[in-house]
Amino acid sequence: MKQVFIRVPTKLLLLIIGTLLLLSAGFSTVSLSRLNAEFKAYQAETLIQGQEQFKLHEKTLRENLRVWIESFADVVHLQEKNDFDDLTKEISKQFDALQLHHNVEKMWLIDSKKNILYSSSITPNYVLNSVNKTLDIQEPQHLLYCQVYCEQLLTVPLLNKQGDMVVVALAVSLVDMIYAINQSIKSEIAIVSFSKSDQAKLHEAQFLSASDIKLMRTLFVQPKKQISVEAIKAMGVQVDISSHSYLINLMSLATNNQRAYYMALIDDVTPITSEYKQYRYQFLLSAVLIFVTLAGLVYFVSSPLTHRLIVLSNALPLLARKEFDQFRRIKLKRKSFFSDELDILADATSELSYELEQLNLEVEQKTKELENIAMYDLLTGLPNRNMLNYQLRKSVANLSQFKHKIAVLFLDLDDFKKVNDSHGHGQGDRLLIEAANRVRLSIRNVDVACRFGGDEFVVVLGKIENVEEAVVVAEEILQRFKTPIKIGSSIFYVSTSIGIAFTEDKLIKAEELISYADIAMYEAKDSGGAQYHVYHSEMYQRVAHRVMLEGEVRQALAKNQFSLSLQPQLVAKTKRIYGFEALLRWQHPSRGMISPDDFIPILENSAHMIELGYWIIRRCFELAVMIKNHGLTDSRIAINLSAGQFVDQNLPNFLQGLLVEFSISASHFELELTEQTLVKNVDHTIRMMEVLKGLGFSFAIDDFGTGYSSLAYLKQMPVDVIKIDKSFIFGMLENHSDYQIIMSTIAMVKNLGLTVVAEGVETSAQLRSLMQNDCDLIQGYYFAKPIPEAELLDFIDAHIVDNHWKTKAL
Ligand code: C2E
Ligand code: CA
Ligand code: CA
C-alpha cells in the first residue's frame, strides 16, 4: 500500500480545524436554539399582548356603550315610564352622536315582542338572534361579527316601569379599536379573513382593515414558501423585506360558514434579528480569528520541529555510510535555553555516531588483525603458510605471462630442537625471530620469505633468470647464519639446511614446488646440514623409495620377515670367542633377502627405524640369553645402533627394562655407533653414552677411519672398542697407505687403553699381518660369515669348543 505523506503541521492544522468546527457547530447550535427560544418567547408575548389589548379595548368599548345606554335610560327616566316611546324618540336623536363619538355604525331598538321600535338600517338575522338571546337571559350580550368587515354587536336589555323589556342593539366598527391597539402595542394591526380551510395560505388573505395596508399586502405575499394559516396561528411567521424583518402573528377573531377572521399583529423585529445576525457574524469572525491564530501558532511551533526532524532524517544515512565527521558537522541541536525531545534525540544520535565510529574502528582493527593472523606469523612477523601459498600461486600463474623462472628455498634450522629442549621455548622463540631476520635480510624486496612452521622457512624467488640466482641467495643465507646468534648471555651456533627447487613449468602446483624444495632440504640435512642442495628428480625417486620402504618395514615387522645373523668376533691371539655382531636380515617374500645396507641408511631418521631398532635390541637380548645358556657364558653381542635410535630419549629406559626382564648383565652387550652418529650431536651422544655406560653397557666405534673423527676426539668419550672399517682391511696388503692407517690406528687405540677390532678379515695373510701388529679382535669371512640365528647353536656346537674356535687355526 502506498502511503500518503502529510506533514505534521498539516496534520495538527487539520486536527485544530476539526476541533474548531466541532466546537463552533456545538456552540452555534446551542446559541441558535437559545435565540430561537428567545424569539419564540418574544412572539408568544407579542401575541398575548395583542390578545389582551384586543380584549381590553373590546371590553372598554362595550362597557362604555353599556354604561352610556344605561345612563341614557336613566336620563329619559325609563323606569318611570310605562312604554318605550320616549326612549325610542330620544335614542334615535342620539344616533348621530353615537355614530360620531362611539363609532356606532348601526342601532336597533327591539321590544320583547320582537317589534323593531327603531332601526338605523335593515335588521339582519344575527342581530335578531342576539336580541332574542338577550331577552331570554336578560343580561347584556356582545358578539364579534364579521361579514364584509367586522363589527362588534352589543345588546343591552332595558326595563320600563311595567317591567317590559326592550333591547338596544349597537353595531360598532372595529376600525378605531385597531388604531387604538396599534397605538398601545406599537404593532401594525390588520383584520384579515381566510377561507375556512386547513390549507389556507398567508398570501390568500383578504384585508378587512389595516393600520398600514400597503405594508401588510407586501408582507403577506412575501414568504416564498407559503405557510399555512394554522401553522402561523401556532408560531407566527417571520418575513423579511429589504433590510427589515417582521413577525406576523394571527389572532383568531370570528368565523362564519365560509371564512375565518383574524387580527394580524405585525411586529418589526429588525432590531432583534439584526442583533442575532450581528451575534452570528461576531461568532464567525472570532472563530475565523481563533483559527487563523491557532494555524499560525501551529505553523510557527511545529515547522521548526519538523524542519529539525527532516534535517535529522537526511543526516542519518550518513551514519550508514560511515561518514561520521560529516554527520557531526550537521547542526542537529539549536542553542536554546529550553531543550525538548528533539534535543534529546539529537544528543542520542550524536552519541550514537561516536559509538558507531568506535565500533567501526574496532571492527576495522579486528578485521586487520584477523587478516594478519590469517596471513602473517605472529612470532616472526613473516608471512605465514597461507600467504606463501597465495604468493607462490601468483608467481606460478605469472610464469605463463613473463619469460622468467621461479625458485623456492626450503630452510630448516639444524638442531633447533636441541636449543628448544635445552634452553626452553622462550629462548627458542627469540632464536626463531633472529633467524627470520637473517632470512629476511638475505632476500630482495620482490622476494617473499615465509615462516612455514616450527623452524622451517620458505623463500619464494618469484622472478629469476636461472638457478644460479637462487644459489646466490642460499649462499647469502648460509653466510649470515655463520655469525653466532647471541640471546641474553647465551651464544648459539645455528646453521640451516636449504633445499632449492627451481622451475619454469607453468603447470606445476605450488604445493609440488614446496615439496621438491623440502626433499632437497632433507638431502642437505642428511649430508650434514649447513648447506644447500638443489632438487633434481633422482631425489624424488629416493624419497619415493624411502616412503615405500617405510611402509614395507612396518609390514615386515608385523609379518616376522626380519631376523638376525650373528658374526663371531675372535680374540686374535687365543682364538677365544669374544662375541658376535648381530646383523639384521630381511627375508622379503618377493624380493628375497634384502641387505641392511639397502634399507637401514635410507630409514636412518624415520620412526620406523626406531621401532625396528627396538625389535633388534630385544631379539639380541633373547639371543644373548640363549648363547649364555648354551655355554658361552662370558661372550657378548654387539648391537648396531642407528643415529636416530641413539638420540631416542627412551633408549636407556628400554635397555634397563630388558636387563631386568631377561636378568642378564649389561656386560654381555656392546653398542656399536658409527662415527657419523657420534659427530652429529656430540654433547647429546656423550651424555647418552654416559647414561648407558652407567647401566653397564660398553661401546664400540664402528667403521672407524671413514669419518673425520680423530682419536684425540674419541678420548673424551666413554668408548671401549674401536672397529677399523673393513674397507681398510680389504686392501691393507696391496695399499700401503691403508696398511699405515691400520697400523697407526691399532697403535694409538692400544695407547689409549682401548680394544681394537679388525672387521672384514677375509684372508689368512690379513689375519697374520693384523696379529703381528697386535690387533686385539678379528671379525670376518675368514672365520665365519654372519650365521642365521636359527643355525647359531648348531654352528657353535660345530665350531666352538670351550669358548675357543676349533676348526680354523693360523
Ligand atoms: P657393519 O656394521 O660394518 O657390519 C659389517 C658388515 O660387513 C656386515 O654386512 C657383514 O656381513 C660384512 N662383513 C663381515 N665380514 C666380512 C668380510 O670378511 N668380507 C666382507 N666382504 N664383508 C664382511 P651386512 O650384514 O650386510 O651389514 C651391513 C651394514 O648394515 C652393517 O655394517 C651395519 O652398518 C648395518 N647393519 C647391519 N645390521 C644392523 C642392525 O642390526 N642395526 C643397525 N643399525 N645397522 C645394521
Ligand atoms: Ca657394525
Ligand atoms: Ca663396520
Side-chain angles (χ1 to χ4, degrees):
M1 196 181 80
K2 193 176 175 279
Q3 277 195 320
V4 183
F5 178 80
I6 301 174
R7 278 162 45 92
V8 174
T10 318
K11 278 183 185 167
L12 281 173
L13 212 67
L14 287 175
L15 193 79
I16 286 169
I17 291 174
T19 318
L20 262 174
L21 279 177
L22 219 73
L23 268 175
S24 36
F27 191 68
S28 53
T29 318
V30 169
S31 44
L32 262 177
S33 65
R34 243 186 53 203
L35 274 170
N36 269 340
E38 268 175 36
F39 194 73
K40 267 205 185 108
Y42 172 80
Q43 183 233 348
E45 197 193 340
T46 320
L47 196 62
I48 288 164
Q49 235 179 35
Q51 277 168 340
E52 275 172 1
Q53 285 295 322
F54 183 78
K55 274 186 195 142
L56 185 74
H57 281 278
E58 189 194 32
K59 195 178 169 192
T60 314
L61 188 72
R62 213 166 51 228
E63 286 304 304
N64 281 348
L65 281 173
R66 189 180 62 77
V67 170
W68 185 85
I69 291 168
E70 281 169 1
S71 318
F72 190 71
D74 282 346
V75 171
V76 292
H77 306 288
L78 185 64
Q79 278 157 344
E80 294 160 21
K81 305 278 172 61
N82 292 321
D83 55 21
F84 295 108
D85 295 346
D86 286 346
L87 178 74
T88 309
K89 201 167 80 194
E90 288 306 317
I91 210 160
S92 60
K93 280 182 193 163
Q94 290 302 316
F95 181 63
D96 285 344
L98 279 171
Q99 247 184 330
L100 197 68
H101 300 298
H102 294 285
N103 283 326
V104 174
E105 303 268 311
K106 296 161 193 163
M107 186 168 77
W108 296 271
L109 198 63
I110 298 168
D111 66 13
S112 53
K113 287 167 189 130
K114 320 277 175 26
N115 295 318
I116 299 167
L117 302 180
Y118 175 79
S119 75
S120 63
S121 59
I122 53 156
T123 315
N125 274 342
Y126 79 93
V127 175
L128 288 177
N129 291 341
S130 187
V131 167
N132 283 343
K133 204 173 168 193
T134 312
L135 286 172
D136 278 353
I137 58 173
Q138 301 186 359
E139 281 285 320
Q141 291 291 305
H142 64 91
L143 95 127
L144 200 66
Y145 182 78
C146 298
Q147 188 72 44
V148 184
Y149 47 85
C150 282
E151 57 192 18
Q152 167 126 277
L153 182 68
L154 178 73
T155 48
V156 182
L158 294 172
L159 291 170
N160 63 10
K161 198 178 172 188
Q162 297 297 312
D164 295 334
M165 189 172 282
V166 72
V167 176
V168 182
L170 295 171
V172 188
S173 157
L174 285 184
V175 177
D176 269 18
M177 203 170 83
I178 284 168
Y179 282 108
I181 294 169
N182 181 15
Q183 287 304 305
S184 61
I185 63 171
K186 300 259 168 36
S187 294
E188 296 297 337
I189 300 210
I191 306 284
V192 289
S193 76
F194 295 98
S195 66
K196 206 177 152 194
S197 133
D198 288 346
Q199 259 61 61
K201 297 284 175 334
L202 193 62
H203 71 281
E204 294 163 358
Q206 279 181 10
F207 289 90
L208 276 71
S209 60
S211 56
D212 185 343
I213 187 68
K214 204 174 147 212
L215 174 72
M216 301 284 175
R217 284 196 195 285
T218 334
L219 279 179
F220 274 53
V221 294
Q222 193 62 27
K224 293 208 171 59
K225 205 178 132 222
Q226 282 302 331
I227 307 155
S228 74
V229 170
E230 279 310 301
I232 296 167
K233 248 167 76 185
M235 29 192 268
V237 65
Q238 191 190 325
V239 182
D240 295 324
I241 292 175
S242 60
S243 58
H244 281 262
S245 196
Y246 297 92
L247 175 69
I248 303 174
N249 269 317
L250 288 179
M251 202 178 94
S252 189
L253 288 181
T255 46
N256 59 26
N257 292 340
Q258 288 87 40
R259 298 187 74 81
Y261 295 84
Y262 296 93
M263 183 165 81
L265 298 161
I266 288 93
D267 277 282
D268 190 349
V269 289
T270 313
I272 297 172
T273 52
S274 70
E275 189 192 346
Y276 177 56
K277 268 183 195 152
Q278 182 94 5
Y279 175 77
R280 267 209 310 211
Y281 171 74
Q282 274 174 358
F283 180 79
L284 216 76
L285 193 75
S286 49
V288 167
L289 265 173
I290 290 171
F291 168 73
V292 170
T293 319
L294 277 177
L297 222 69
V298 163
Y299 184 80
F300 282 116
V301 170
S302 64
S303 78
L305 296 181
T306 51
H307 172 73
R308 286 161 67 198
L309 273 174
I310 284 170
V311 169
L312 185 64
S313 58
N314 285 339
L316 280 175
L318 290 173
L319 288 183
R321 294 201 296 268
K322 297 178 183 171
E323 292 167 23
F324 301 108
D325 280 339
Q326 185 81 17
F327 176 82
R328 283 192 286 270
R329 236 172 276 139
I330 295 171
K331 259 190 68 166
L332 296 173
K333 234 182 133 181
R334 21 158 230 163
K335 279 202 181 93
S336 165
F337 189 67
F338 302 104
S339 69
D340 56 22
E341 288 90 335
L342 280 182
D343 292 314
I344 294 173
L345 190 65
D347 283 342
T349 49
S350 104
E351 195 155 309
L352 180 74
S353 80
Y354 283 110
E355 276 170 24
L356 277 178
E357 189 174 20
Q358 183 63 30
L359 215 64
N360 189 47
L361 276 175
E362 280 170 25
V363 166
E364 275 172 7
Q365 202 175 322
K366 285 270 156 29
T367 316
K368 223 176 208 162
E369 277 172 25
L370 280 175
E371 275 170 7
N372 281 344
I373 290 170
M375 289 301 195
Y376 289 89
D377 170 50
L378 289 178
L379 179 70
T380 60
L382 286 181
N384 64 13
R385 233 178 196 177
N386 296 338
M387 182 71 127
L388 166 72
N389 287 332
Y390 170 72
Q391 292 289 351
L392 194 54
R393 268 190 220 120
K394 212 166 75 176
S395 298
V396 172
N398 282 343
L399 275 178
S400 49
Q401 219 175 330
F402 309 102
K403 284 215 175 307
H404 59 68
K405 288 133 200 169
I406 52 175
V408 168
L409 275 64
F410 200 109
L411 282 82
D412 187 293
L413 303 185
D414 299 327
D415 301 323
F416 172 73
K417 199 169 174 297
K418 243 170 33 190
V419 178
N420 234 9
D421 290 346
S422 52
H423 291 81
H425 288 268
Q427 297 272 58
D429 284 352
R430 288 166 74 185
L431 197 86
L432 283 174
I433 293 168
E434 179 54 28
N437 285 337
R438 291 183 179 194
V439 175
R440 198 185 280 132
L441 288 170
S442 312
I443 59 169
R444 302 171 300 175
N445 276 347
V446 289
D447 303 328
V448 184
C450 313
R451 184 173 174 208
F452 196 68
D455 60 343
E456 297 167 332
F457 298 91
V458 170
V459 174
V460 177
L461 309 174
K463 244 181 202 170
I464 53 170
E465 295 304 322
N466 47 51
V467 73
E468 281 72 35
E469 286 183 45
V471 168
V472 168
V473 175
E475 279 170 347
E476 164 81 21
I477 293 170
L478 290 172
Q479 188 59 38
R480 281 191 189 272
F481 273 91
K482 279 192 178 140
T483 321
I485 296 174
K486 194 164 181 268
I487 292 166
S489 56
S490 321
I491 289 179
F492 297 95
Y493 290 87
V494 182
S495 61
T496 176
S497 301
I498 304 175
I500 302 173
F502 171 78
T503 192
E504 51 188 314
D505 179 3
K506 307 171 186 64
L507 299 173
I508 201 162
K509 287 194 180 116
E511 296 77 23
E512 276 178 307
L513 204 52
I514 293 171
S515 75
Y516 293 161
D518 189 19
I519 289 168
M521 184 278 291
Y522 261 98
E523 293 268 319
K525 201 156 275 247
D526 272 354
S527 309
Q531 54 189 293
Y532 69 85
H533 275 205
V534 178
Y535 172 83
H536 51 84
S537 55
E538 276 164 43
M539 286 182 182
Y540 185 80
Q541 305 297 324
R542 275 205 288 275
V543 170
H545 180 59
R546 178 197 168 114
V547 170
M548 192 194 69
L549 265 183
E550 282 177 354
E552 284 188 331
V553 163
R554 168 153 282 192
Q555 282 191 354
L557 262 174
K559 291 179 181 167
N560 273 321
Q561 291 171 4
F562 290 110
S563 66
L564 294 175
S565 281
L566 295 118
Q567 191 175 30
Q569 294 174 328
L570 281 79
V571 178
K573 281 179 182 155
T574 61
K575 305 298 175 297
R576 189 187 162 83
I577 295 296
Y578 174 82
F580 299 87
E581 181 181 1
L583 295 158
L584 187 64
R585 295 292 173 261
W586 180 3
Q587 184 62 48
H588 194 279
S590 56
R591 286 196 268 157
M593 189 63 80
I594 301 175
S595 163
D597 275 333
D598 291 341
F599 66 91
I600 289 179
I602 299 171
L603 297 178
E604 190 65 60
N605 292 312
S606 79
H608 300 87
M609 191 57 224
I610 292 171
E611 199 185 340
L612 180 59
Y614 283 133
W615 179 87
I616 294 165
I617 295 170
R618 171 171 275 278
R619 189 79 194 112
C620 286
F621 269 71
E622 288 167 356
L623 290 172
V625 171
M626 191 179 87
I627 293 167
K628 192 182 152 206
N629 292 344
H630 203 68
L632 298 178
T633 47
D634 58 353
S635 75
R636 61 181 69 193
I637 289 187
I639 307 173
N640 290 287
L641 293 180
S642 60
Q645 217 180 328
F646 196 70
V647 292
D648 181 34
Q649 301 284 343
N650 275 330
L651 187 64
N653 281 341
F654 183 76
L655 286 170
Q656 190 164 27
L658 290 179
L659 290 176
V660 175
E661 189 185 331
F662 289 91
S663 307
I664 192 166
S665 159
S667 61
H668 287 283
F669 301 96
E670 194 172 86
L671 304 176
E672 288 192 11
L673 301 174
T674 60
E675 271 185 279
Q676 257 83 14
T677 308
L678 284 177
V679 168
K680 248 177 198 161
N681 191 345
V682 180
D683 294 345
H684 179 81
T685 311
I686 293 176
R687 244 177 288 135
M688 181 66 99
M689 283 171 90
E690 271 159 1
V691 172
L692 298 180
K693 190 93 190 166
L695 292 174
F697 292 97
S698 57
F699 285 97
I701 302 301
D702 203 357
D703 303 344
F704 186 80
T706 54
Y708 305 96
S709 50
S710 65
L711 275 170
Y713 185 63
L714 289 177
K715 231 167 78 178
Q716 313 165 31
M717 299 181 184
V719 174
D720 306 278
V721 178
I722 302 291
K723 290 180 82 175
I724 301 171
D725 190 64
K726 55 184 180 288
S727 59
F728 297 104
I729 309 294
F730 290 158
M732 64 178 280
L733 299 177
E734 292 83 33
N735 190 322
H736 185 68
S737 67
D738 281 357
Y739 180 84
Q740 282 298 320
I741 289 171
I742 292 169
M743 296 320 152
S744 59
T745 304
I746 294 172
M748 279 191 284
V749 170
K750 303 222 26 132
N751 197 30
L752 286 170
L754 305 179
T755 306
V756 63
V757 182
E759 65 169 1
V761 178
E762 292 184 349
T763 63
S764 57
Q766 289 166 343
L767 177 63
R768 207 177 302 120
S769 176
L770 288 164
M771 282 173 67
Q772 279 167 6
N773 286 287
D774 217 7
C775 179
D776 295 316
L777 302 170
I778 304 295
Q779 178 187 350
Y781 290 176
Y782 176 75
F783 286 107
K785 286 196 172 179
I787 305 141
E789 52 179 277
E791 300 164 16
L792 185 64
L793 293 184
D794 288 348
F795 181 88
I796 292 171
D797 293 343
H799 297 279
I800 297 164
V801 178
D802 190 19
N803 284 310
H804 284 77
W805 192 259
K806 63 173 182 183
T807 49
K808 229 176 224 175
L810 195 69

